[in-house]
């Protein structure tokens, strides 16, 4: 059934962590004319989609939550997927977002209409809505990436991605292959290793792994958090400061890197006594180049008798299983793709065109860039949440997303003030602001280990860092504290003048 076209002041696209955060801040600034369009039938984004066994957050919940909606459990340190999803539902309920959520509406195209001075949102069912401003909040980890392996279609068994887990497929007693050894695989493998008959873990390159503290707090700490006033806030502050002061310098090749590498090597040596297996699990690149895996269960699972770490590269998939380059065919009935996400494509598969019809994929042909990760010049009144270079490698991404949501709400408030005075205006970023921003990103990127010789999901095929913010979180918060008139142009709605 097609929907009725409608005009909204603000269209938010996506009801995950970022979309909900933006919606909360809009309301807090008295802006109530907005709709959150969500393609699925439920909120939660990545925390709705990733339901694989063991799915959980490896950032403590005290930090993986908004400051305006503290998630402070005195018992649980690391929440599992159902708990994070429940937290997001609570946010939506507590902040009155439910009436704004429009499920089952996939926005497939965004087109700025120069003549009308507003955005046209095309949906999967063909309906077109319009909006004065658009906030995209579609995530960086929303499009599953499937491996491009010859013969994949010939496989006669069951195959699925970790982010599209097939809960109807019982794994008990089966022969299973997991492709990929990132954070998702490290959570899945220990959960299923004891249930399946054989498990082959196909590793293309190893990851540095650090031990994960217990999911639940020690009873003493738990009692402290429960009883001492201010303890929850102090704990959050401690986690934040530790990430800024120790983890970030390590990722920027500081002395703390040696400490982390030492901890990772000791963890590996303590859990993997077999020197041959240990050698295959030792990464040849600096710690942090790939996102560090946090797990105390992954290595012991690999050492089980029914589990084999396969490091010979995959040659092809056949009807019966996976053949490696040495000619060995390991027959399996299930293949699990723990192969990550198409992270550098950002707003894809939406087709986005700005003023004058310029296409965003054309503007971004050498890599996604946006001033503050939020504004793309020539795309007026379009605000990106969790856009290019706003992911954190050392701290909780909720912090940059919260900063963005308040910033974007301020921009919309500014536009709204003009509209109330009968002036239809749009906000556009200056090209010079983006150039200066990009210079800052590139300088920061060059100092981090992310641009070293390893594959990771933070950079594009050219090796340009497109996803991560290479500085302190506090700096990002400062830069997004309020819209900067020097970086933005306020123009009459309609076709933008030449830049
Ligand atoms: O994905 P990844 P992920 N043949 O991209 C391999 C978040 N997350 O889903 O390293 C063979 O890290 C690839 O190999 P290589 C978190 O931010 C968070 O595990 O490229 N292998 C790699 O081993 C995380 O970083 C939590 O050589 C292939 C793996 O697949 C992000 O999600 C929990 C291949 C992909 O690893 C993504 O993690 C889980 C091929 N053709 C996830 N293609 C939290 O706790 C790819 N690979 C918050």
């Amino acid at each position: 059934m097609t929907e009725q076209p409608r005009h909204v002041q603000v269209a938010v696209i996506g009801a995950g962590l970022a979309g909900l955060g933006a919606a909360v801040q809009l309301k807090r600034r008295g802006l109530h004319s907005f709709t959150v369009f969500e393609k699925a039938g439920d909120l939660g984004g990545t925390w709705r989609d990733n339901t694989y066994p063991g799915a959980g957050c490896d950032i403590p919940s005290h930090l993986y939550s908004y400051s305006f909606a503290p998630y402070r459990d005195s018992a649980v340190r690391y929440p599992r997927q159902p708990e994070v999803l429940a937290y997001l539902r609570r946010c939506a309920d507590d902040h009155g977002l439910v009436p704004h959520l429009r499920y089952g509406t996939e926005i497939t195209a965004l087109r700025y209409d120069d003549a009308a001075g507003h955005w046209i949102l095309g949906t999967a069912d063909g309906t077109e809505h319009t909006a004065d401003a658009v906030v995209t909040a579609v995530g960086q980890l929303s499009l599953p990436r499937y491996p491009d392996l010859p013969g994949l279609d010939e496989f006669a068994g069951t195959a699925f991605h970790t982010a599209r887990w097939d809960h109807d497929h019982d794994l008990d007693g089966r022969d299973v292959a997991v492709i990929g050894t990132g954070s998702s695989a490290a959570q899945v493998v220990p959960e299923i290793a004891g249930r399946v008959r054989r498990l082959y873990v196909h590793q293309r390159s190893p990851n540095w792994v650090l031990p994960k503290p217990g999911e639940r707090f020690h009873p003493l700490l738990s009692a402290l958090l429960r009883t001492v006033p201010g303890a929850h806030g102090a704990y959050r502050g401690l986690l934040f400061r530790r990430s800024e002061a120790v983890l970030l310098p390590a990722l920027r090749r500081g002395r703390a890197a040696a400490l982390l590498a030492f901890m990772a090597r000791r963890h590996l040596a303590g859990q993997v006594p077999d020197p041959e297996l240990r050698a295959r699990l030792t990464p040849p690149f600096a710690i942090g180049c790939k996102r560090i895996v946090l797990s105390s269960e992954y290595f012991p699972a690999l050492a089980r008798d029914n589990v084999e770490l396969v490091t010979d590269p995959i040659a092809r998939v056949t009807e019966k299983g996976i053949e490696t380059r040495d000619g060995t065919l390991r027959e399996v009935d299930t293949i699990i793709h723990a192969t990550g996400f198409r992270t550098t494509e950002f707003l894809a598969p939406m087709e986005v065109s700005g003023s004058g019809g310029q296409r965003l994929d054309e503007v971004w042909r050498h890599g996604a860039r946006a001033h503050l990760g939020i504004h793309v010049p020539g795309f007026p009144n379009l605000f990106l949440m969790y856009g290019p270079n706003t992911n954190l490698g050392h701290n909780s991404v909720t912090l940059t997303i919260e900063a963005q949501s308040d910033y974007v709400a301020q921009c919309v408030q500014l536009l709204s003030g003009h509209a109330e005075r009968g002036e239809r205006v749009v906000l556009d970023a200056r090209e010079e602001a983006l150039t200066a921003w990009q210079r800052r990103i590139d300088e920061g990127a060059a100092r981090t280990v992310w641009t070293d010789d390893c594959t990771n999901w933070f950079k594009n095929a050219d090796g340009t860092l497109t996803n991560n913010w290479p500085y302190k979180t506090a700096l990002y918060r400062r830069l997004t504290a309020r819209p900067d008139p020097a970086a933005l142009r306020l123009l009459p709605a309609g076709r933008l003048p030449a830049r």
Side-chain angles (χ1 to χ4, degrees), residues 46-47 50 52 54-59 64 78-79 84 141 145-149 161-163 178-187 202-207 212 285 290-294 298 313-314 337-343 386 391-392 454-458:
T46 198
W47 294 107
N50 283 271
Y52 59 80
C57 189
D58 55 18
I59 311 267
Y64 197 85
Y78 293 104
V84 184
L141 302 166
R145 182 174 51 157
Y146 290 86
D148 185 14
L149 293 170
H161 192 278
T162 44
V178 170
I179 303 179
T181 52
S183 299
S184 299
Q187 293 185 335
H202 288 265
Q203 171 186 283
R204 190 165 63 178
S205 40
N207 257 13
K212 184 175 178 179
F285 47 80
K290 286 179 190 295
R291 188 178 188 272
I292 298 169
V293 167
L294 218 58
Y298 179 56
I314 297 174
H337 301 297
T339 41
F341 301 87
R342 289 155 50 195
T343 53
Y386 198 27
N391 180 57
L392 293 179
C454 83
T455 53
N456 62 41
W457 61 263
F458 319 136

Side-chain angles (χ1 to χ4, degrees), residues 188-199 297 300-302 304 306-307:
V188 165
V189 165
E191 288 285 322
I192 64 172
R195 288 168 47 195
V196 301
R197 189 169 65 168
R198 292 283 315 159
L199 180 60
E297 277 91 40
L302 292 181
R304 290 175 61 101
N306 67 330
V307 179

